[in-house]
């Protein structure tokens, strides 16, 4: 009897040891067991991307189950935020610990990212939280418009014509009753560049009496109709936080992260998209007046795929992307030649 109990104890101990070895040996197994607990604390170390980035960049959690993340930084100040969720960012200071507890109610794939410009590769500090579970499946997002319209994001799109002077939307407003009705439709705005809409209007016989400049004033006015002050403010803030480091405060493509790169070569302005590793100069109206909102949004969502332009699809909501696009056009209208000489 005693011998039998001994054997049982041995067996139990053997199984325990085996389990521990399994857990240690297989991260997948460890993750699975961890997932089964009711709540868990995960420690995540933030490091510059060159030193490894997030110490943990794939997290799996069950929907409805609280997830506690305990952060610290091993080098500089980093930040933590989750794409598309409107949560306050968490500042991660070197040598200090900060905890946050999250509970996801909807299953899905959430992208987390660093919110501080910690270095030139800062934007590569991203990871994924996989939320699994059976809660009602979220309604799938519609595909981005550039796909529906079949726009080639990598094709050159310099405007064939641009205003000879800064366009004056105020003056355009006074001419609006000349416009055909399609000119004010949302679909027209989204799928046309300012230059292509200008060409369409130029071809309208009813608009023949108007000068080229008048037509540009009208197009500038149309663009203004799609830009609320609130949207511009949102776009401006997002731009300053996420884009200016490369694209520059004034959109000239001269941000602090770019200045150290070798100066642009002739190839940067033409040929294949792989070679365009510098941001464009948006104060040159040919750049943005040749791009439709759908194209710009597409580029922001998909990124440059090898050009150095990051993808933001999993980070920003569609409202945020629209706000960024609205804001970008400011550079073009304000940067038209002789803008300074126009009142
Ligand atoms: C790490 C540097 C970097 C950051 C950060 C960055 N960009 Fe870019 N971006 C580029 C480069 C380089 C290009 C040119 C190559 C290309 O078009 O893919 C570019 C191109 C673009 C284009 C295409 C313009 C055109 O006419 O085709 C858009 C639109 C754009 N960026 C928007 C943004 C927005 C909005 C943000 C911030 C949310 C942003 N970028 C952040 C580097 C960056
Ligand atoms: Cu960082």
């Amino acid at each position: 009897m005693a011998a039998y109990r001994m054997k049982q104890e041995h067996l139990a101990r053997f199984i325990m040891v085996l389990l521990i070895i399994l857990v240690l040996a297989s991260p997948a197994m460890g993750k699975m067991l961890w997932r089964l607990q009711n709540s868990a604390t995960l420690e995540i170390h933030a490091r510059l991307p060159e030193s490894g980035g997030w110490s943990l960049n794939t997290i799996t959690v069950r929907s409805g189950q609280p997830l506690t993340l305990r952060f610290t930084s091993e080098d500089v100040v980093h930040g933590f935020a989750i794409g598309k969720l409107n949560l306050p960012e968490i500042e991660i200071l070197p040598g200090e610990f900060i905890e946050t507890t999250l509970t996801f109610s909807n299953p899905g794939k959430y992208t987390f990212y660093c919110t501080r410009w910690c270095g030139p590769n800062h934007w590569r500090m991203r990871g994924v939280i996989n939320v699994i579970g059976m809660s009602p499946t979220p309604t799938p997002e519609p595909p981005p418009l550039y796909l529906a319209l079949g726009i080639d994001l990598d094709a050159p799109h310099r405007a064939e014509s641009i205003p000879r002077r800064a366009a004056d939307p105020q003056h355009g407003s006074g001419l609006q009753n000349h416009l055909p009705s399609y000119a004010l439709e949302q679909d027209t705005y989204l799928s046309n560049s300012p230059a292509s809409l200008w060409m369409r209007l130029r071809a309208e016989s009813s608009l023949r009496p108007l000068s080229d400049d008048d037509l540009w004033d009208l197009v500038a006015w149309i663009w203004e109709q799609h830009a609320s002050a609130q949207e511009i403010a949102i776009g401006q803030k997002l731009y300053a936080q996420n884009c200016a480091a490369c694209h520059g405060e004034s959109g000239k493509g001269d941000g602090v992260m770019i200045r150290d790169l070798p100066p642009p070569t002739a190839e940067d302005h033409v040929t294949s998209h792989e070679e365009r590793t510098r941001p464009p100069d948006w104060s040159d109206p040919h750049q943005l007046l040749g791009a439709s909102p759908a194209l710009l949004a597409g580029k922001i969502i998909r990124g440059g795929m090898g050009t150095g332009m990051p993808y933001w699809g999993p980070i920003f909501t569609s409202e945020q992307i629209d706000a960024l696009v609205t804001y970008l056009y400011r550079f073009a209208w304000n940067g038209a030649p002789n803008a300074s000489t126009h009142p």
Side-chain angles (χ1 to χ4, degrees):
M1 199 57 189
Y4 178 59
R5 197 175 298 140
M6 268 288 279
K7 243 187 209 156
Q8 240 184 357
E9 263 173 32
H10 268 305
L11 191 68
R13 202 172 301 155
F14 174 69
I15 289 173
M16 268 303 284
V17 170
L18 194 73
L19 265 178
I20 291 169
I21 289 173
L22 262 178
V23 168
L24 291 179
S26 127
M29 184 76 167
K31 216 184 259 169
M32 226 153 74
L33 287 181
W34 162 80
R35 225 194 255 154
L36 298 175
Q37 296 170 2
N38 271 338
S39 74
T41 300
L42 291 181
E43 192 166 303
I44 302 184
H45 290 229
R47 302 162 299 199
L48 288 168
E50 296 76 22
S51 323
W54 302 109
S55 62
L56 196 60
N57 50 27
T58 313
I59 298 170
T60 305
V61 68
R62 201 170 270 290
S63 61
Q65 173 193 313
L67 167 70
T68 300
L69 301 176
R70 185 171 147 83
F71 293 104
T72 189
S73 165
E74 293 183 6
D75 39 47
V76 299
V77 179
H78 296 276
F80 171 88
I82 300 174
K84 303 193 179 202
L85 298 187
N86 208 0
L87 298 171
E89 67 174 278
I90 291 161
E91 190 175 58
I92 307 170
L93 301 172
E96 288 181 28
F97 283 87
I98 182 160
E99 269 189 21
T100 182
T101 299
L102 304 159
T103 307
F104 295 86
S105 38
N106 293 322
K109 206 171 133 177
Y110 297 80
T111 296
F112 65 88
Y113 62 104
C114 178
T115 51
R116 293 303 170 96
W117 277 97
C118 48
N121 287 308
H122 145 80
W123 64 272
R124 293 181 199 275
M125 271 185 84
R126 293 183 179 178
V128 167
I129 302 175
N130 283 309
V131 180
I132 51 167
M134 308 267 278
S135 358
T137 30
T139 38
E141 284 181 46
L145 188 58
Y146 80 91
L147 286 178
L149 294 174
I151 295 176
D152 177 0
L153 297 182
D154 305 314
H157 50 262
R158 275 176 74 83
E160 285 174 42
S161 52
I162 58 162
R164 288 181 305 150
R165 50 153 178 83
D168 180 356
Q170 201 108 39
H171 179 240
S173 165
L175 303 167
Q176 58 179 285
N177 53 345
H178 293 268
L179 281 175
S181 61
Y182 71 77
L184 278 167
E185 282 164 15
Q186 176 80 355
D187 286 353
T188 305
Y189 164 75
L190 290 174
S191 59
N192 278 280
S193 68
S196 67
L197 184 57
W198 183 87
M199 304 256 259
R200 265 175 88 174
L201 296 178
R202 190 66 292 180
E204 293 284 346
S205 53
S206 61
L207 295 173
R208 216 165 283 152
L210 299 187
S211 72
D212 286 357
D213 288 344
D214 286 343
L215 281 187
W216 273 115
D217 293 347
L218 266 170
V219 173
W221 176 75
I222 291 170
W223 248 251
E224 226 182 58
Q225 300 316 295
H226 293 276
S228 71
Q230 192 205 5
E231 223 186 350
I232 292 171
I234 295 171
Q236 183 164 26
K237 191 158 172 244
L238 290 171
Y239 182 85
Q241 278 170 357
N242 302 284
C243 323
C246 290
H247 286 277
E249 301 286 322
S250 50
K252 291 199 167 116
D254 58 354
V256 284
M257 294 298 161
I258 301 293
R259 279 177 208 154
D260 295 340
L261 291 180
T265 62
E267 268 126 57
D268 285 327
H269 301 292
V270 276
T271 63
S272 87
H273 86 281
E274 296 288 334
E275 282 158 4
R276 283 189 284 116
T277 52
R278 302 195 132 249
D281 176 0
W282 282 327
S283 69
D284 171 0
H286 287 99
Q287 294 290 342
L288 286 168
L289 298 186
S292 64
L295 183 149
L296 295 175
K299 201 64 172 263
I300 298 169
I301 292 167
R302 192 211 67 175
M305 310 246 289
T307 63
M309 166 63 188
Y311 60 92
W312 303 91
I315 308 280
F316 296 133
T317 62
S318 53
E319 290 77 22
Q320 287 174 317
I321 287 171
D322 291 348
L324 277 164
V325 168
T326 302
Y327 178 70
L328 294 189
Y329 282 115
R330 310 263 93 195
F331 296 127
W333 295 118
N334 296 341
N338 307 327
S340 52
T341 62
H342 197 264

